[in-house]
Amino acid sequence: TIYKLGDGVEASFPSTLVKYLMVASDNNQFKVEMWRGNTKNAASVPVTITGTAGKFTPSKQSFDFAAGENKATINFTYTSLTSFGGEAYNIKLTITDDANVSKGGNKAITVTAQRKLTFTSLGTGTFISEFFEEAWPQVVEKAAEANFYRLPDCYYKGYPISFTLDNGVIGFAKQPMGYNHSSYGMVSWDPRYPAECSVDGNVLTFATAFVVEAGSFGKFFEVLEMPE
């Protein structure tokens, strides 16, 4: 099918997903790009921006094209790289008016912004899962730049479990754990019970809900014995 270019902006994001690993040389900013097919006149394409979590500030709320330009950007700034651990932030930009979107174009883009971290192994501990009623040796990694930890291939290969440990307090985000249920799809850790997480010496207890889109399998206590 051949589409004839109309009088609209014919705007599209280059893709629906993009990931930015934030490093010091970025000078606390990154750019998101939009393309357009009709470059005849100057144009402004308003967007709705969600998910900044009070951490990221957009330079404006629209992509502004000069006449003849086929690309425009919005800058996102943040106060300091050191204010981030290893958590990922999903910022979504959506073209507000459907009339501005090109046929077959991408109306929205999700930008995953995350501080680039350097992990080193602390050794091998033991992971004890109440959910699976099993225990296994578990490599534990820590970021050099923050109190951010990672358990590579914890339950399933390719699905690390990540958490923070600050002053004896455990924190973790909702994250897929790799179990793809035959009826309900991917199962995730969900931090619904932060007050019930605990640290006792080198033993960390994670009170977590195992959830799917349809609901929850309930609360389970997953235990990590850190390497000595």
Side-chain angles (χ1 to χ4, degrees):
T1 303
I2 299 175
Y3 293 109
K4 184 179 178 181
L5 191 63
D7 295 327
V9 180
E10 305 292 335
S12 174
F13 289 105
S15 63
T16 57
L17 295 169
V18 67
K19 185 169 185 175
Y20 289 104
L21 291 176
M22 300 180 291
V23 295
S25 59
D26 291 337
N27 294 318
N28 298 342
Q29 63 180 323
F30 59 85
K31 294 180 180 181
V32 179
E33 192 171 74
M34 177 185 284
W35 299 348
R36 67 166 176 163
N38 187 350
T39 62
K40 184 177 178 181
N41 301 310
S44 180
V45 180
V47 290
T48 302
I49 302 172
T50 58
T52 57
K55 290 275 194 175
F56 302 93
T57 304
S59 55
K60 48 192 175 180
Q61 300 289 322
S62 65
F63 287 86
D64 301 319
F65 298 87
E69 285 184 337
N70 66 348
K71 294 180 182 179
T73 59
I74 288 179
N75 277 18
F76 283 83
T77 57
Y78 47 92
T79 54
S80 171
L81 187 63
T82 57
S83 67
F84 294 91
E87 63 279 0
Y89 294 88
N90 293 315
I91 304 165
K92 187 172 184 180
L93 293 82
T94 306
I95 296 174
T96 307
D97 187 348
D98 286 346
N100 286 329
V101 184
S102 65
K103 289 185 183 296
N106 299 314
K107 179 182 177 179
I109 188 170
T110 298
V111 180
T112 299
Q114 187 174 26
R115 183 180 180 182
K116 186 176 183 180
L117 298 174
T118 306
F119 286 94
T120 55
S121 175
L122 298 179
T124 301
T126 302
F127 194 87
I128 305 163
S129 173
E130 182 184 23
F131 183 76
F132 283 115
E133 298 182 341
E134 291 182 41
W136 54 85
Q138 179 62 55
V139 172
V140 181
E141 298 176 336
K142 182 184 182 299
E145 301 87 348
N147 291 322
F148 193 82
Y149 296 78
R150 185 169 69 182
L151 308 178
D153 304 328
C154 184
Y155 297 96
Y156 291 90
K157 187 173 178 61
Y159 288 89
I161 294 294
S162 301
F163 63 94
T164 57
L165 183 59
D166 281 309
N167 298 316
V169 178
I170 295 171
F172 61 93
K174 185 177 180 180
Q175 55 193 297
M177 48 74 74
Y179 175 38
N180 202 351
H181 192 279
S182 58
S183 299
Y184 300 112
M186 180 57 69
V187 180
S188 294
W189 269 29
D190 195 334
R192 297 184 181 181
Y193 315 102
E196 295 184 56
C197 295
S198 64
V199 178
D200 183 8
N202 72 328
V203 178
L204 281 58
T205 300
F206 302 85
T208 180
F210 282 76
V211 301
V212 292
E213 282 195 14
S216 173
F217 289 104
K219 177 174 63 177
F220 294 86
F221 292 95
E222 306 294 276
V223 174
L224 172 66
E225 294 179 359
M226 294 284 279
E228 293 290 347

